[in-house]
Amino acid sequence: MASAALEIKKAGCDALLMGPSADLEYLFGLSVHKCERFNGVFLLATGEVFGVVSKLYLEEFKRALPSGTKIYEWADEEWFFEALERAFKEWGFGEGTKIAVNDGVAAMDAVEITNRQGVHLVNGWQMLEPLRLIKSQEEIAKLKKAGEITDRALEALLSFIRPGRKEKEIRRKLLELMDDLGATSASFPPIVARGEHASMPHYTGGDGVIRERDTLLIDFGCRFEGYCSDMTRTLFIGEPDPEIRKLYEIVRRAQEEGEKHVRPGVTAESVDEVARKVIVKAGYGEYFNNRVGHGIGIAIHEAPYIMRGNRTPLQKGMTFSVEPGIYIPGKVGIRIENCVFVTDEGCQSFTSFPKELVILDS
């Protein structure tokens, strides 16, 4: 907590307001359902803490926050404005008070706080990122376990995939397998996309039906003791067309080159460049228009972001994905993703499911 307070002070702020978020989970082990009700924890630059909390969530916050923390509770019929005003008066917040706000606070609530209280709010989305950037051995161990569950779930899923299955059936089965294998929850809604649906990298549908000769992109992960896994594999039902096989090998080579480049001292940008170069040289650069990777930890997406323009040098203990892809609209999408952690001389993947082309019976 002292290091978090120091980051607030370094930013020239009086406090950081955190809604339900990875920041709250990191600092206090507090993971709560996010809804329309305002729930906020204020961490001051002095290291002091207070909360403004809906009665519906009071028990969770009391258990998680340090003993003796002042909590200003509010009921649905009151909304949070009066409780917030009481808190601000007691802590001396007013005009001239500079409060950073993280990504767990709704924009509409931030507007109301500014309008009603006259404080100055600033973007605090990345304020605590320096604290979460380098993972401890304990954190790495939890990420490894989440990766192991992911590997085992996909291996068990293979026999379930066959022509006639709907994407949403496969998604449900995958969630069931991760739950049975010890996951706390999914780390995000799984993406299961057949054929041309996979040309949309974050496809959200589910009614597509697997065909006799088809591709199937599966992007999924789980949470274990608060830490996330994330893996993507593109599978084939029946023998793929030569052109599709060629695309797959280009993506596989790009992913492997990107992963091999990772080591302490190289920049996040250079990993993107190395992987992207393979796809561009093969003539498919226009079909790869996203970053190569994102950090992973308590949040499914966090620093470091592996993309052009990010000159952050990689350090031992950083954790992130390497996930190049080719997405041809209306035709096909192919992505291969591993999440890795930086070691003394390179990196290691949290998952071990093969990256070689997998053909399932049609």
Side-chain angles (χ1 to χ4, degrees):
M1 193 116 69
S3 54
L6 182 60
E7 293 297 326
I8 297 168
K9 189 178 295 185
K10 281 163 56 178
C13 294
D14 299 294
L16 170 65
L17 166 57
M18 297 170 282
S21 59
D23 287 336
L24 269 190
E25 192 166 356
Y26 180 77
L27 290 178
F28 303 108
L30 177 57
S31 177
V32 293
H33 176 69
K34 189 173 182 179
C35 71
E36 74 279 6
R37 296 174 179 85
F38 176 85
N39 289 298
V41 173
F42 292 79
L43 173 60
L44 280 62
T46 59
E48 298 168 287
V49 180
F50 70 86
V52 177
V53 178
S54 161
K55 287 183 177 180
L56 194 67
Y57 295 86
L58 192 57
E59 185 175 357
E60 290 102 311
F61 278 79
K62 279 185 174 179
R63 286 184 177 183
L65 295 179
S67 177
T69 297
K70 186 70 181 286
I71 297 179
Y72 302 82
E73 58 186 87
W74 61 274
D76 283 355
E77 64 271 16
E78 303 163 350
W79 215 233
F80 74 95
F81 303 135
E82 287 186 14
L84 185 76
E85 186 175 356
R86 290 197 310 273
F88 277 20
K89 279 183 179 178
E90 289 187 28
W91 291 89
F93 286 12
E95 286 190 24
T97 302
K98 189 175 180 181
I99 303 173
V101 179
N102 87 340
D103 59 339
V105 179
M108 59 185 180
D109 291 334
V111 170
E112 288 289 349
I113 291 168
T114 302
N115 289 345
R116 290 171 182 269
Q117 302 300 326
V119 294
H120 179 50
L121 300 186
V122 299
N123 186 353
W125 169 45
Q126 297 175 310
M127 184 168 284
L128 300 187
E129 278 191 348
L131 307 183
R132 291 165 44 195
L133 196 56
I134 308 296
K135 305 300 189 289
S136 67
Q137 287 303 308
E138 182 182 1
E139 290 177 298
I140 295 287
K142 291 175 181 178
L143 288 161
K144 282 182 176 179
K145 180 62 179 178
E148 177 192 325
I149 292 170
T150 306
D151 272 331
R152 293 172 63 195
L154 184 54
E155 187 63 44
L157 182 72
L158 296 183
S159 61
F160 184 79
I161 299 169
R162 60 174 180 267
R165 293 277 191 209
K166 284 190 174 181
E167 294 161 331
K168 61 186 176 184
E169 290 180 86
I170 296 169
R171 186 169 61 222
R172 281 198 299 267
K173 183 65 174 178
L174 190 53
L175 290 169
E176 176 189 311
L177 287 166
M178 289 192 291
D179 186 59
D180 289 346
L181 289 165
T184 309
S185 65
S187 49
F188 60 95
I191 299 168
V192 178
R194 60 143 301 276
E196 67 276 11
H197 294 165
S199 69
M200 297 174 273
H202 287 173
Y203 172 72
T204 58
D207 288 328
V209 179
I210 305 300
R211 299 175 182 175
E212 291 289 335
R213 293 182 70 188
D214 220 341
T215 58
L216 185 65
L217 185 151
I218 303 178
D219 184 349
F220 72 108
C222 73
R223 283 169 64 92
F224 177 79
E225 295 186 2
Y227 286 79
C228 299
S229 63
D230 187 5
M231 177 171 72
T232 307
R233 291 295 185 268
T234 305
L235 309 173
F236 295 86
I237 295 83
E239 184 66 32
D241 291 337
E243 183 186 0
I244 302 298
R245 180 187 281 269
K246 173 189 168 187
L247 293 177
Y248 184 89
E249 291 303 325
I250 293 167
V251 173
R252 184 176 67 83
R253 195 162 68 250
Q255 199 284 330
E256 290 183 347
E257 289 299 316
E259 201 170 313
K260 280 195 295 186
H261 183 71
V262 174
R263 61 186 181 276
V266 305
T267 63
E269 178 180 62
S270 69
V271 179
D272 184 294
E273 288 172 350
V274 166
R276 189 174 303 278
K277 189 175 182 180
V278 174
I279 293 174
V280 170
K281 275 193 165 184
Y284 294 93
E286 66 180 297
Y287 301 115
F288 179 30
N289 54 15
N290 56 287
R291 65 192 176 205
V292 160
H294 57 81
I296 190 167
I298 283 180
I300 189 64
H301 289 179
E302 60 182 49
Y305 294 97
I306 309 303
M307 62 185 185
R308 289 171 289 189
N310 183 3
R311 296 180 176 85
T312 302
L314 300 182
Q315 299 178 55
K316 181 181 177 182
M318 287 183 174
T319 55
F320 50 84
S321 68
V322 181
E323 50 176 305
I326 293 175
Y327 311 98
I328 302 177
K331 185 174 182 179
V332 70
I334 295 172
R335 179 165 67 251
I336 302 171
E337 173 189 20
N338 274 354
C339 286
V340 304
F341 62 99
V342 182
T343 63
D344 286 320
E345 298 179 349
C347 71
Q348 290 183 27
S349 174
F350 290 116
T351 50
S352 59
F353 191 92
K355 290 182 281 187
E356 289 73 26
L357 191 143
V358 174
I359 301 175
L360 306 177
D361 293 335
S362 62

